[in-house]
Structures are given as C-alpha cells and as structure tokens.
Amino acid sequence: MSTRLNWLRAAVLGANDGVTSTAGLVVGVAGATGSRATILAAGVAGMLAGSLSMAAGEYVSVSSQRDSERAALETERQELAEDPQAELDELAQLLEVRGLSPELARDAAVQLTERDALRAHARVELGIEPDELANPWHAAVASFASFTVGALLPLLAIVLPPPSLRLPVTVVAVLLALALCGWVSARLGAAPAGRAVLRNAAGGALAMAVTYAVGSLLDTG
C-alpha cells in the first residue's frame, strides 16, 4: 500500500512539473510572438525535453537506490552465513527496541529467523522489502508519462483558442490544474489542502508572469 501511494504521489508531482514548466515556456514564447506554429514548436520541444529529462533522472536515481538495497541485502546474507547467532541476537535487540519485551522479542526473532532470516533482517533492520525493490524502468516510464500528461494541458490550452483568448484560457486552465495537483498531493500526504493548493497555484502564476514578462521584453515585432 505504501509503495502504491509513493508511486501515485510521484505521478502527481510529475504531472505538476509538466504543467508548471510547460506553461512557463509557452506563455513566455507567447509574450514574444503571436505565431501559433512557433508556440507549438516550442511547447512540443519543451514537453519532450522535460519528459525525457524526468525519465532519465528517475531511472538514474532509482537504479542507484536499487543498487544500494541489493548491496545491503548481500551484506546481510553474508553476515547471516558467517555468524547466524550474532544476527539472531541483533534481530532480538531490534525487536526489543521496537517495544517488545525481551522474552517476546527473543521468541519472535527465533520464529522469524526459522521462517526466513534474510527477509526478517531486511524488513526489521534495513527497512527493505526484498520482493518489492524499486524498478528503475517503471519509474522512468511513470515519470515520462506523468510529465507528458501534465505538459499537454498548457500546450493545448494555448494553441487551440483564438489569439485573443490564448493567455486567459491558458492561465485559467493551468491554475485549475495546479490547484487540483496541490489538493491531490495534500490528500495523499494527509496534509492541509488549502495551503498546498494556494502554494501550487501561486508558484504557477509567478512562473507564467515572469516568463511572459521576459518574452514581452524580447518581442522585436
């Protein structure tokens, strides 16, 4: 369940990044030019660059995490083979620290060791679920997809309406999307939704205001 929530939270954050970064990009370009083709080209390039960057970053990060977890499990496997009694004592102490009485902790450690010693130490000592090591490819694909979905909203919002409505439609659509992302993120983290929504929307509004101002300054025609 916790793994599923982490993936869902990561997907929401990826979509949030896609909305914010692409909105800032296309609004900035729109401040410099009224050409729909130019805005579209910049938006698509930014969407692909951002989604690929997110995917690559997640792949590298999760690969490093998985390598570390595998190394820790291998070390634990060697320690169990070399000195099983010391490892049993260590497991009992860890269970005792978690609130079990010394007698109950010893009995639990013995039973867990008899069932699966490596799994017991992985869970109690390392905080690792051996059968649920993070998959870097899953992380990369999820990040790519969530960023792309988020980026599509401001891109479509600015290229589909007529020129006179581009900015108002984009700003409203982006702020609503960021408010939703903030609300979902807060709910997943059991945090107050109001501040998360306001913070998210304010950040997006600031990004669009800054990039539009810069784009307007660069407008030569």
Side-chain angles (χ1 to χ4, degrees), residues 17-39:
D17 288 344
V19 172
T20 304
S21 62
T22 305
L25 175 61
V26 296
V27 167
V29 175
T33 179
S35 169
R36 187 189 304 270
T38 301
I39 296 171

Side-chain angles (χ1 to χ4, degrees), residues 160-206:
L160 293 182
S164 61
L165 295 177
R166 282 177 185 167
L167 286 178
V169 169
T170 302
V171 169
V172 171
V174 167
L175 293 182
L176 288 175
L178 290 177
L180 178 61
C181 287
W183 182 83
V184 173
S185 179
R187 296 292 296 175
L188 291 174
R195 279 181 292 180
V197 168
L198 182 60
R199 185 168 55 237
N200 227 27
L206 178 62

Side-chain angles (χ1 to χ4, degrees), residues 22 25 42-52 147-149 151-152 155:
T22 305
L25 175 61
V44 171
M47 178 180 70
L48 290 175
S51 57
L52 289 170
F147 187 97
T148 301
V149 169
L152 280 173
L155 181 57

Side-chain angles (χ1 to χ4, degrees), residues 115-129:
R115 181 175 303 173
D116 191 329
L118 179 60
R119 184 182 301 277
H121 281 268
R123 289 174 172 174
V124 177
E125 182 180 349
L126 304 176
I128 296 174
E129 182 58 58

